[in-house]
Amino acid sequence: MPVPARLGVFRVLCLFAVFEAVCLLDTGMLFPRESSSREVKELNGRWDFRADKSPNRNQGFEKAWYKSRLAETGPVIDMPVPASYNDITQDPTLRDFIGWVWYEREVVVPARWIADEGTRVVLRVGSAHYYSVVWVNGVKVTEHNGGHLPFEAEIGSLIRKDPTQPCRITIAVNNTLTLDTLPPGNIQHMDDHTKYPDGFFVQNIYFDFFNYAGIHRSVLLYTTPKAYVDDITVVTDFLDNTGLVYYKVSVQGAATATLKATLMDKNGRCVASSSEPSGVLKVVDVNLWWPYLMHENPAYLYSMEVRLMATDSRSTYEDVYTLPVGIRTVNVTSTQFLINNKPFYFHGVNKHEDSDIRGKGFDWPLIVKDFNLLKWLGANSFRTSHYPYAEEILQMCDRHGIVVIDELSLVTSGVLLVRRDKNHASVVMWSVANEPAAEMTLIKHTKALDPSRPVTFITDSNYARDRGAPYVDVICVNSYFSWYHDPGHLEVIPIQLKTQFENWYGKYQKPIIQSEYGADAVAGFHSDPPVMFSEEYQKAVLQSYHNVLDQKRKQYVIGELIWNFADFMTVQGITRVVGNKKGIFTRERQPKAAAFILKERYWRLANETGRLPVWTKYPCSF
Ligand code: BDP
């Protein structure tokens, strides 16, 4: 086995400790799934909407818009959920709106949910950007700070107060960014009346993507019994042919409960079971979870069914929750990233949640299209730059064997992200931040939360900026030679890239991922010899990088992720041509010339480093 024995022993000894650390995280964040004991009702579709355009943006609170139907306090327009509101209308003031917007809809709650006091009814918002307050029938039920992560509130007792009333959900969302938000921003007021109209202000932001806002992911009502499975944590390992699933189940709503955990294979056959709330399930002749293009049978998922029974003076409750489980290990040496003890080379992309009309709104057709494009490209991985992506995307990664570097943005959301994403086989590493100013605390904190995964942070090519490097397991470097540095000079790439790698490795002896590189290309702009912004220039940058990557991947470079998978929207500015054009696909997901260069390379890399599934021998058949 290529993994050093020392690492293997350390791993086994640590598994239980790891597990305790991951389990320490408060209450659970299990993705709502239907089962024989749970129902899910999606509240997506058309909502009423109004932006509060009053001078202080506070009229909605002053006039308590949540107390009655939104249409009674002013005009409303149709707004789809999930979607960013910015690109839905022709109104430039809504596209660039800063402040509170109000969403509302009425829901018919099934009578049996109301009648049965033993049923918990939970309202869940998949994500809303940035600050949200939620009311049900005029009563505040929760508020939440930060986009990109779910939040929820139990509303059963509230809707039971008057079952004849419809359930009116009001959500106010504010996208103002300050120096205390993540991502950060600041509001600048311009008071010079010779230059600016009355009340003029701008939202400055310090990141390179459009500040899309609104309800970005699904809003759901779901039920559980009063006594329910609150959280499940799994950490996996294997020994020879036996898979090991260390698990822990936590229960809410019952002082005592009996549990049964059953692990089933793809055909629904029970392969291991236990009646303990925590322990280890042993799987004989295990099918490991392998990344796409690394194995002929990638992304094997077992199902772990947890069945709970609890009784109180009134009733007996049964809850069933089924979690997909991929059994795999991750290890890092000074030169390699090992999945299931085999060297893994990241050949992938960086993405954004971004598309036209929807902005950052979750959209299944887009997600499935993107996965088809990833597979067409021969990509085996991506990084969730620069925020947590929708859980459904990680579920797709588990299903398709696409490996994820999961990026968080601050300590509190770090806790939430680990809590939310800890069970995904596809998530092999946490990235604590992108080009951060202060990263040590984040790195240490994340390692303490989940010692079962390596941690990285994304740095730039300046190796002097290394405060986090001693603490991470893998060094991820972004560099844009011949673009931001020495623009137009392709000839600097070989020397500067080589120097970059040698400096970082020389100092830390840790494996390195080229986590961003690339060049803007406006689709359809051509120039030979290549000039910046042409498709030929983008191609040439990639090819120069690839020459150096091919030398260094034989030593300690363990991956390359292009910036970016697709063009994406940014704030308007003199360096952006209707957004960032470093995509190898357009925003509409059509390939630029660079996509074909990358496709040829990734399939070649896959042929060299992996064992291709039979059905992928002919990549053109997608
Ligand atoms: C990188 C940032 C990314 C930008 C990219 C660029 O991480 O968010 O979009 O530069 O400028 O450093 O294209």
Side-chain angles (χ1 to χ4, degrees):
M1 282 204 310
V3 63
R6 148 181 87 76
L7 255 182
V9 173
F10 178 71
R11 196 180 157 74
V12 173
L13 287 176
C14 282
L15 269 172
F16 274 106
V18 164
F19 200 61
E20 287 309 316
V22 175
C23 292
L24 276 178
L25 305 168
D26 253 342
T27 56
M29 284 176 76
L30 289 178
F31 184 77
R33 292 174 192 279
E34 292 194 311
S35 74
S36 54
S37 62
R38 295 173 174 230
E39 290 179 73
V40 177
K41 186 177 167 74
E42 272 200 1
L43 308 183
N44 297 339
R46 195 200 65 77
W47 287 53
D48 281 347
F49 175 93
R50 179 158 76 243
D52 183 345
K53 293 191 180 167
S54 60
N56 68 357
R57 301 288 196 259
N58 213 28
Q59 200 180 77
F61 287 90
E62 287 161 6
K63 301 243 161 96
W65 287 353
Y66 48 88
K67 282 207 171 143
S68 56
R69 285 183 46 239
L70 204 51
E72 286 171 24
T73 51
V76 292
I77 60 170
D78 290 348
M79 191 53 69
V81 170
S84 302
Y85 58 73
N86 309 76
D87 293 344
I88 298 295
T89 72
Q90 301 310 106
D91 178 358
T93 65
L94 185 60
R95 184 195 55 208
D96 298 327
F97 184 77
I98 302 296
W100 290 101
V101 297
W102 292 71
Y103 287 79
E104 182 204 78
R105 76 163 272 181
E106 286 186 355
V107 188
V108 178
V109 181
R112 63 181 182 284
W113 292 10
I114 298 178
D116 180 4
E117 301 247 345
T119 295
R120 286 173 69 239
V121 182
V122 184
L123 171 63
R124 184 184 204 263
V125 180
S127 84
H129 184 78
Y130 182 83
Y131 194 88
S132 314
V133 185
V134 185
W135 296 262
V136 171
N137 293 338
V139 177
K140 185 168 148 190
V141 293
T142 190
E143 57 191 294
H144 184 260
N145 193 2
H148 314 297
L149 286 170
F151 52 97
E152 50 182 50
E154 206 180 318
I155 62 166
S157 54
L158 211 107
I159 54 179
R160 279 184 196 115
K161 271 192 190 144
D162 182 1
T164 58
Q165 246 192 47
C167 170
R168 183 168 45 82
I169 299 172
T170 314
I171 306 180
V173 186
N174 191 332
N175 64 343
T176 309
L177 299 179
T178 67
L179 293 177
D180 297 325
T181 59
L182 273 160
N186 78 300
I187 298 285
Q188 195 180 353
H189 292 270
M190 318 295 203
D191 298 328
D192 180 348
H193 293 310
T194 64
K195 290 188 178 164
Y196 301 102
D198 242 12
F200 186 88
F201 68 91
V202 288
Q203 165 79 74
N204 296 315
I205 55 174
Y206 306 110
F207 50 89
D208 186 35
F209 47 93
F210 193 84
N211 186 27
Y212 277 115
I215 302 180
H216 282 156
R217 297 182 191 151
S218 292
V219 182
L220 307 173
L221 283 181
Y222 73 91
T223 65
T224 75
K226 208 169 123 195
Y228 61 99
V229 176
D230 177 53
D231 198 15
I232 305 172
T233 304
V234 297
V235 178
T236 64
D237 198 359
F238 64 94
L239 211 54
D240 303 325
N241 240 2
T242 304
L244 304 169
V245 179
Y246 296 85
Y247 74 95
K248 177 159 183 165
V249 178
S250 55
V251 173
Q252 290 279 347
T256 55
T258 57
L259 278 176
K260 173 120 197 225
T262 310
L263 199 70
M264 287 165 293
D265 68 11
K266 269 202 162 157
N267 303 318
R269 215 169 37 91
C270 167
V271 292
S273 69
S274 159
S275 301
E276 299 299 326
S278 63
V280 53
L281 297 167
K282 295 189 178 160
V283 187
V284 181
D285 285 334
V286 63
N287 278 304
L288 295 178
W289 185 95
W290 289 95
Y292 173 57
L293 303 180
M294 198 177 175
H295 192 265
E296 61 270 16
N297 183 18
Y300 193 97
L301 291 176
Y302 291 88
S303 299
M304 180 172 167
E305 182 197 87
V306 176
R307 191 171 281 268
L308 164 154
M309 297 278 284
T311 309
D312 66 14
S313 53
R314 288 218 206 132
S315 186
T316 294
Y317 306 97
E318 184 177 32
D319 189 23
V320 181
Y321 189 90
T322 303
L323 181 78
V325 174
I327 302 177
R328 57 108 185 91
T329 59
V330 178
N331 283 294
V332 176
T333 72
S334 61
T335 55
Q336 288 180 317
F337 195 94
L338 304 169
I339 297 186
N340 301 335
N341 301 335
K342 297 251 166 36
F344 176 75
Y345 187 78
F346 295 78
H347 41 92
V349 304
N350 289 276
K351 289 187 96 260
H352 261 300
E353 288 184 317
D354 174 273
S355 74
D356 55 356
I357 304 173
R358 295 146 190 82
K360 289 202 178 304
F362 181 85
D363 181 44
W364 269 115
L366 179 79
I367 305 302
V368 175
K369 177 72 178 177
D370 280 4
F371 273 81
N372 285 334
L373 289 176
L374 287 170
K375 288 182 144 187
W376 174 89
L377 197 63
N380 63 4
S381 50
F382 66 78
R383 161 174 162 237
T384 66
S385 43
H386 295 304
Y387 39 80
Y389 291 1
E391 286 158 280
E392 292 87 339
I393 296 179
L394 297 179
Q395 289 162 8
M396 285 288 279
C397 291
D398 292 341
R399 279 171 55 76
H400 292 274
I402 302 294
V403 165
V404 178
I405 300 174
D406 205 357
E407 193 155 298
L408 50 118
S409 37
L410 78 165
V411 175
T412 33
S413 78
V415 174
L416 290 181
L417 185 71
V418 173
R419 195 187 293 163
R420 193 194 73 160
D421 294 349
K422 63 189 171 181
N423 292 328
H424 287 285
S426 57
V427 174
V428 298
M429 181 154 62
W430 305 114
S431 159
V432 297
N434 181 59
E435 300 175 3
E439 60 286 294
M440 262 109 71
T441 329
L442 291 176
I443 297 166
K444 286 182 188 161
H445 196 82
T446 310
K447 274 183 173 243
L449 285 175
D450 180 11
S452 77
R453 285 179 177 86
V455 171
T456 187
F457 80 102
I458 316 292
T459 187
D460 56 25
S461 53
N462 179 359
Y463 86 111
R465 186 176 152 153
D466 61 359
R467 274 173 301 162
Y471 304 97
V472 293
D473 303 294
V474 171
I475 293 178
C476 283
V477 189
N478 298 344
S479 60
Y480 289 91
F481 303 128
S482 87
W483 192 261
Y484 293 121
H485 313 277
D486 306 298
H489 287 285
L490 291 163
E491 66 275 26
V492 303
I493 295 176
I495 176 161
Q496 294 189 1
L497 189 57
K498 197 164 159 276
T499 306
Q500 165 199 286
F501 286 137
E502 286 170 3
N503 281 343
W504 280 105
Y505 194 76
K507 190 148 183 202
Y508 294 108
Q509 283 87 50
K510 291 186 181 185
I512 304 177
I513 295 177
Q514 181 69 42
S515 43
E516 288 183 25
Y517 70 105
D520 287 73
V522 179
F525 276 21
H526 293 288
S527 172
D528 185 42
V531 297
M532 292 174 79
F533 291 100
S534 68
E535 293 201 34
E536 288 71 19
Y537 194 88
Q538 188 185 34
K539 260 172 64 177
V541 168
L542 266 55
Q543 281 163 326
S544 281
Y545 264 78
H546 295 163
N547 290 339
V548 180
L549 286 162
D550 275 339
Q551 294 161 29
K552 297 297 175 188
R553 76 186 165 87
K554 301 198 173 79
Q555 301 169 10
Y556 46 76
V557 168
I558 57 162
E560 52 190 87
L561 307 174
I562 186 78
W563 189 264
N564 189 285
F565 173 72
D567 292 345
F568 57 91
M569 193 46 70
T570 62
V571 69
Q572 299 181 59
I574 50 169
T575 59
R576 295 289 176 253
V577 194
V578 196
N580 187 312
K581 293 285 190 271
K582 293 196 186 68
I584 53 156
F585 295 102
T586 63
R587 206 174 182 215
E588 296 71 35
R589 275 41 181 186
Q590 295 305 325
K592 299 180 194 171
F596 295 96
I597 297 290
L598 216 59
K599 176 177 180 237
E600 203 188 307
R601 173 172 179 78
Y602 283 1
W603 280 97
R604 183 164 53 77
L605 288 172
N607 269 305
E608 273 175 39
T609 58
R611 281 159 63 197
L612 304 192
V614 181
W615 49 269
T616 56
K617 288 274 162 59
Y618 308 99
C620 295
S621 64
F622 282 106

